Amino acid sequence: MTDSSFVNDVMETVVARNPGEPEFHQAVLEVAESVAVVVEKAPRFAKAKIIERIIEPERQFIFRVPWVDDKGDVQVNRGFRVQFNSAIGPYKGGLRFHPSVYLGIIKFLGFEQIFKNALTTTPIGGGKGGSDFDPKGKSDMEVMRFCQSFMNELSHHIGPDTDIPAGDIGVGAREIGYLFGQYKRLTNTSVGVLTGKGIGWGGSLVRTEATGYGLVYYVTRMLHDLGKDWKGQKVVISGSGNVAIYATQKVHELGGKVIALSDSGGYIVDEAGVNLDTVRRIKEVERGRIKEYVQAHPKAQYIEGWQGIWSVPCDVALPSATQNEIDAAAAQSLVNNGCVAIGEGANMPSTPEAIAIFHENNVSFGPAKAANAGGVATSALEMAQNSMRLDWPFEEVDNRLKTIIDAVYNQCTAAAEAYGMKGNLMAGANIAGFVKVANAMMAQGVV
Ligand code: NDP
Ligand code: 2IT
């Protein structure tokens, strides 16, 4: 299927130039394996060293983020922004605040973002940023002081036509508010430099829901191709953050039943269907833990340890927590229990071994860079509204999101078929995204 010397050459370069960054290597390997067939048929891409250029970020920033905690002690975190590729538009991608963040995580996410953003049909390049700051257990004022310090540096590198950050793990409406306030204060401009802003101060309706909704719209197409719909489907979703919550809401609206959710402590199983009002109260209002769910719903179970969630029998699984959360054993367990479709809400949640198991067992597999593209696509719609100084109604944004996800899905199926891998949505997503960016890079010369 692939030209292994091409893949080996790419991986040798990536590993040598980016030592100690296994997540970045993993993300590049997946794309290289998919696009080998494209490069083979288009020697002009090889001659122009498109792949060598695409794996090298255009620009990377690493900076100190000092701040003062509530006790008056000075804390020091590390901030990152990787401006990966601007061939089709300004850098666009989220900020992740989580203790596991280091350069390799931001580079894997930024690399994925290039192709995801290309698939959205909107004119945005790829970037990502974040910090090893852990918002958990911090007071609002500590989070504010951290965000202000982070923005003091980041503000030098971003702008509404340059680089437009948004949320990701640990960065939601609260953090975007503090970041935006500080940017405005530093620059004396009120522009759409961040997305995911609040409604009433530049935010777009549907952006909060968009990643989860888009994921479910994408999986709707996958189910349709299997001759199925959501009615009566048992669904397991990992995580209980932004993506998981709004995926749950949309699954329930379309007639499916979400029976399990998780956080990094463990998972809940509620065979009656999870009560989303309870989850939203615990997670969005109280910033609590998923185990508190069983206090309100004593018939539900809480089990310690997040990875066990993949042993819960289901028809559809939507991993929506973090990278590499489904390994080979978890994938095998999903297959053995009769799961027919996987839609990746998180970025790179399945290991390469897990993906191989899904493909070998004919489980329909919706890859992250297509299945979760609804979030960033709606961010692009927020940018458009900010530029026009207009706000669209909920229905209009939701309809545009549906149209975009249909286009994402159609690109995946068409590219897979064109390159002899019919039905392989992962190969299709990688190829379609790559070709769009590669053509733009070809047109713009050696830059
Ligand atoms: P949130 O911070 O809102 O929620 C993250 C959820 O995942 C929490 O329940 C969290 O549990 C859990 N989680 C995070 N890290 C781990 C870990 N290492 N192990 C186990 N559980 C973990 O983030 P989002 O919902 O925004 O993001 C979830 C995923 O979706 C990420 O992969 C993100 O990159 C991806 N994504 C997000 C988009 C968006 O628009 N927000 C767009 C596209 C993709 P706990 O609270 O215990 O840490
Ligand atoms: O991974 C992602 O696509 C996001 N976290 C959303 C990025 C964005 O700019 O909305």
Side-chain angles (χ1 to χ4, degrees):
M1 179 178 103
T2 56
D3 172 347
S4 61
S5 70
F6 164 79
V7 175
N8 289 343
D9 288 353
V10 171
M11 291 317 296
E12 236 171 65
T13 309
V14 168
V15 172
R17 289 174 75 103
N18 307 273
E21 298 177 2
E23 297 86 359
F24 179 46
H25 305 162
Q26 182 183 336
V28 173
L29 178 62
E30 186 199 293
V31 172
E33 285 184 337
S34 293
V35 306
V37 61
V38 180
V39 177
E40 216 171 80
K41 284 190 185 156
R44 68 183 192 285
F45 288 156
K47 186 159 189 302
K49 296 257 187 329
I50 292 293
I51 196 87
E52 290 82 349
R53 282 193 273 151
I54 235 171
I55 58 178
E56 187 67 21
E58 288 176 16
R59 208 170 290 107
Q60 314 182 51
F61 305 99
I62 304 181
F63 48 96
R64 182 173 68 203
V65 190
W67 57 281
V68 180
D69 69 18
D70 286 346
K71 290 190 287 208
D73 291 337
V74 175
Q75 302 287 339
V76 182
N77 285 99
R78 188 171 278 183
F80 303 89
R81 187 74 185 167
V82 174
Q83 299 181 334
F84 224 120
N85 193 296
S86 62
I88 66 172
Y91 310 105
K92 180 84 196 88
L95 297 170
R96 176 177 292 191
F97 292 170
H98 192 272
S100 63
V101 164
Y102 76 106
L103 186 59
I105 292 282
I106 301 301
K107 273 159 72 176
F108 115 66
L109 290 163
F111 184 73
E112 294 275 291
Q113 201 82 46
I114 303 170
F115 308 103
K116 181 195 306 191
N117 292 3
L119 289 170
T120 65
T121 72
T122 63
I124 44 177
K128 200 86 187 189
S131 174
D132 58 1
F133 174 75
D134 186 359
K136 263 198 221 99
K138 304 287 190 303
S139 70
D140 286 353
M141 288 301 101
E142 288 178 321
V143 170
M144 182 185 78
R145 288 194 292 275
F146 172 81
C147 287
Q148 290 177 341
S149 180
F150 185 86
M151 185 51 86
N152 285 349
E153 176 61 32
L154 188 68
S155 62
H156 298 305
H157 312 297
I158 62 175
D161 297 314
T162 308
D163 183 356
I164 305 91
D168 193 82
I169 291 176
V171 178
R174 175 183 61 173
E175 290 74 18
I176 294 293
Y178 294 147
L179 291 162
F180 184 68
Q182 187 70 353
Y183 182 88
K184 215 155 42 67
R185 187 173 187 206
L186 289 166
T187 61
N188 193 21
T189 57
S190 187
V191 291
V193 69
L194 290 156
T195 58
K197 299 184 292 300
I199 305 306
W201 46 276
S204 173
L205 288 163
V206 194
R207 177 61 189 90
T208 303
E209 295 86 352
T211 310
Y213 280 17
L215 170 64
V216 175
Y217 296 152
Y218 191 88
V219 177
T220 302
R221 293 287 307 268
M222 290 163 53
L223 290 174
H224 183 261
D225 284 354
L226 296 172
K228 296 175 189 287
D229 63 23
W230 285 100
K231 295 211 180 61
Q233 306 288 355
K234 271 194 185 187
V235 183
V236 166
I237 304 184
S238 62
S240 48
N242 174 265
V243 179
I245 285 174
Y246 294 98
T248 301
Q249 189 179 75
K250 189 52 83 176
V251 167
H252 285 175
E253 199 182 302
L254 297 178
K257 186 158 77 168
V258 176
I259 55 163
L261 290 175
S262 63
D263 62 21
S264 58
Y267 62 100
I268 52 153
V269 180
D270 188 343
E271 291 290 344
V274 299
N275 183 311
L276 198 57
D277 290 340
T278 305
V279 175
R280 290 186 63 184
R281 170 178 57 77
I282 294 168
K283 287 292 172 183
E284 293 184 339
V285 181
E286 297 164 4
R287 295 183 187 274
R289 309 303 300 158
I290 199 70
K291 70 174 169 202
E292 293 157 35
Y293 180 90
V294 293
Q295 290 162 15
H297 305 279
K299 286 196 182 140
Q301 272 183 291
Y302 173 73
I303 299 111
E304 285 284 335
W306 56 270
Q307 234 204 348
I309 194 169
W310 306 120
S311 65
V312 178
C314 62
D315 305 304
V316 178
L318 305 178
S320 302
T322 194
Q323 63 279 351
N324 291 329
E325 54 171 309
I326 301 187
D327 61 10
Q332 196 57 56
S333 163
L334 285 163
V335 169
N336 294 348
N337 287 329
C339 179
V340 297
I342 313 285
E344 294 191 317
N347 285 305
M348 208 167 74
S350 310
T351 65
E353 297 76 24
I355 297 172
I357 290 170
F358 295 140
H359 282 149
E360 280 156 23
N361 288 277
N362 289 323
V363 175
S364 180
F365 176 72
K369 53 175 82 67
N372 73 32
V376 73
T378 308
S379 280
L381 300 178
E382 182 172 329
M383 289 163 63
Q385 292 168 82
N386 291 163
S387 298
M388 289 188 298
R389 310 269 176 209
L390 282 175
D391 291 331
W392 291 327
F394 191 97
E395 208 187 8
E396 167 146 19
V397 183
D398 194 29
N399 283 336
R400 285 177 184 266
L401 170 61
K402 283 182 193 152
T403 304
I404 288 172
I405 295 295
D406 273 334
V408 172
Y409 190 82
N410 293 341
Q411 290 173 81
C412 295
T413 50
E417 191 160 356
Y419 285 91
M421 289 177 271
K422 191 163 187 254
N424 184 335
L425 298 171
M426 179 187 79
N430 287 329
I431 291 170
F434 174 80
V435 168
K436 181 169 178 186
V437 177
N439 283 333
M441 289 174 72
M442 292 295 294
Q444 292 170 34
V446 180
V447 291

